[in-house]
Amino acid sequence: MTRAFELVRTIALATTLIGGTAGAQTIKIGVNEPLTGAFAASGTYVVNGAKIAADEINAKGGILGKKIELVVEDNKSNPTEAAAVAEKLITSDKVPVLMGAWGSSLTLAVMPKLMEYETPMVVETSSSGKITTTGNPFIFRISPPSAIEAAAFKGIVDKLALKKVDFLVINNDWGRGTAEDFSKMMKEKGISIGLVETMDQGAQDMSAQLSKIKSSDSETVIVTTAVDQLTLIFKQAAALGLKKRIITTGGSQNPDQIIAQAGAAANGTMHLTTFLPWFPDKTPNPEATRYFIAEWKKRGFDFAGCTESFRGYDGIRTVAAAIEKAGKAEPAAIKAAFWDIKVKGLNGDIVFRKSGPEGKESGQSQPNVYLIEIADGKIEMKTL
């Protein structure tokens, strides 16, 4: 009996040592994304883009002589889960750096855990201004906050002859932040702000809000939500006979998916986006854009996912550059290295500038922002 117990213990110890040795041969990167729930489609796109980056880096020899390993966890489109996932990745999986968490409410929920465990995170999608202005020095964002989107849009509002604008936004930090930042910019331009309607992230019927907007005296509606809800909005707006100009924000629209799902109801809609997979030669990094799109297609993924997946691709490449610069896979060293890197992203150079209270600044990169329009089922580029 004793010999049997000793044998089992010896095998268990050997297994632990082998696992520990195997783990030491890789550099772990935590990926905290919504793979189920309301934002599952977007989170899955981001993760698949991240995997392309990891495979590309590993094929070239990895970082610091080791392969990188993505530890992917599902935050279920839920802020409480997002915080729990972050803690699990840091304390159990021992990741020295993270990427996440898609939605603004998800990222804001994660931020206290980054402070508690002093672990940096690249924010690849979230756009709430609070993420980089509240004093969290472990945040490094490559996506544009709604204020940057609004500033980019400021240059074209005169060409669109905007006079009065209504808002229909998802009722979370992302949507409310968009309404606030765009309203501020438009008021400075002398544009009147009308209705500000909200919708829950799981809502399927927005006809009540759309009916109010139809009856208002605005000529334009700014809409902010994820792609599945946008599709419903366009269909319901068409059914109600709403003829106003619709402009979406947030860079999470997947225009190809909207065309496929909403059909003619999507015609005439405009979209602010941060990537131009339809026009590779007009991107800041055409060669890298063509490589990414080719790899995406080679893996059998829908082209529509490119507008989301590139964020995961650029996010992991940014993390890898920081680890390389740091010279070691330790949180403090990686955090310091983020300030000294420059990555040629698919939507512009990724360089972090300080944002937030002095001494506790977050890092914010400033990507390009573009305006596109769906016309006759095709995507056309507008000039900002």
Side-chain angles (χ1 to χ4, degrees):
M1 193 73 178
T2 302
R3 290 181 61 192
F5 175 77
E6 288 296 331
L7 179 60
V8 170
R9 192 172 71 169
T10 301
I11 292 172
L13 179 60
T15 303
T16 300
L17 290 173
I18 291 169
T21 303
Q25 299 308 309
T26 64
I27 295 175
K28 293 181 178 180
I29 300 172
V31 179
N32 184 343
E33 295 291 334
L35 304 180
T36 57
F39 308 134
S42 295
T44 301
Y45 286 142
V46 170
V47 167
N48 286 336
K51 289 177 180 177
I52 291 177
D55 290 345
E56 180 184 8
I57 292 164
N58 287 338
K60 294 177 180 178
I63 310 169
L64 307 179
K66 297 181 179 181
K67 299 294 180 70
I68 62 172
E69 175 189 352
L70 302 185
V71 184
V72 180
E73 291 287 343
D74 177 15
N75 63 39
K76 302 177 183 178
S77 304
N78 180 285
T80 302
E81 288 286 343
V85 162
E87 187 163 46
K88 184 256 183 191
L89 286 168
I90 296 168
T91 61
S92 297
D93 297 302
K94 307 297 183 184
V95 302
V97 60
L98 293 86
M99 183 184 78
W102 197 80
S104 294
S105 294
L106 306 174
T107 297
L108 287 164
V110 166
M111 286 168 59
K113 296 298 181 183
L114 305 179
M115 293 279 282
E116 180 180 354
Y117 295 106
E118 300 185 342
T119 302
M121 182 171 84
V122 165
V123 176
E124 89 295 330
T125 302
S126 309
S127 62
S128 170
K130 290 189 290 185
I131 290 168
T132 49
T133 58
T134 55
N136 190 317
F138 299 95
I139 286 289
F140 296 86
R141 178 162 56 181
I142 63 173
S143 57
S146 50
I148 288 181
E149 271 194 295
F153 189 55
K154 185 176 182 179
I156 200 173
V157 292
D158 292 335
K159 298 176 184 177
L160 294 176
L162 301 187
K163 293 182 176 60
K164 187 171 184 178
V165 174
D166 292 332
F167 287 85
L168 176 57
V169 299
I170 189 169
N171 190 20
N172 61 17
D173 295 285
W174 174 29
R176 294 189 298 269
T178 296
E180 180 180 343
D181 288 330
F182 275 73
S183 293
K184 180 180 178 181
M185 178 274 290
M186 289 178 181
K187 287 177 182 178
E188 292 172 354
K189 296 284 290 184
I191 299 166
S192 298
I193 303 302
L195 300 172
V196 178
E197 294 289 321
T198 62
M199 54 199 161
D200 293 335
Q201 70 179 37
Q204 300 288 304
D205 184 1
M206 278 65 69
S207 57
Q209 295 96 320
L210 290 168
S211 293
K212 289 182 185 178
I213 291 170
K214 180 184 177 182
S215 299
S216 78
D217 59 350
S218 69
E219 84 287 337
T220 301
V221 189
I222 302 292
V223 181
T224 303
T225 188
V227 62
D228 291 334
Q229 210 164 35
L230 284 176
T231 298
L232 294 173
I233 289 168
F234 295 153
K235 288 181 176 180
Q236 290 166 18
L240 287 169
L242 192 153
K243 302 296 184 183
K244 301 183 181 187
R245 177 196 291 121
I246 298 177
I247 303 172
T248 76
T249 78
S252 298
Q253 307 92 334
N254 295 330
D256 295 278
Q257 187 175 338
I258 289 172
I259 291 170
Q261 294 180 355
N267 284 332
T269 61
M270 296 182 180
H271 310 270
L272 286 168
T273 185
T274 53
F275 185 41
L276 293 173
W278 316 277
F279 314 108
D281 290 338
K282 294 183 179 180
T283 66
N285 197 350
E287 183 179 352
T289 297
R290 283 190 288 268
Y291 165 80
F292 175 72
I293 292 172
E295 188 63 30
W296 182 257
K297 290 179 178 178
K298 188 168 73 175
R299 296 182 183 218
F301 299 136
D302 291 338
F303 179 80
C306 286
T307 52
E308 291 267 22
S309 59
F310 91 94
R311 301 173 187 273
Y313 179 75
D314 273 355
I316 295 302
R317 291 168 67 235
T318 301
V319 170
I323 296 172
E324 189 83 55
K325 184 74 175 179
K328 52 187 175 181
E330 296 178 2
I334 296 169
K335 172 178 172 286
F338 275 124
W339 294 110
D340 296 322
I341 62 171
K342 181 177 181 179
V343 177
K344 289 187 71 66
L346 299 188
N347 63 345
D349 288 341
I350 296 171
V351 178
F352 294 109
R353 298 174 177 85
K354 292 184 176 181
S355 174
E358 185 176 356
K360 298 188 295 183
E361 296 94 343
S362 301
Q364 176 65 61
S365 187
Q366 187 160 343
N368 292 316
V369 179
Y370 311 96
L371 182 67
I372 62 167
E373 181 177 10
I374 296 174
D376 296 324
K378 296 180 180 179
I379 293 165
E380 298 179 353
M381 186 175 175
K382 293 289 184 179
T383 303
L384 284 175

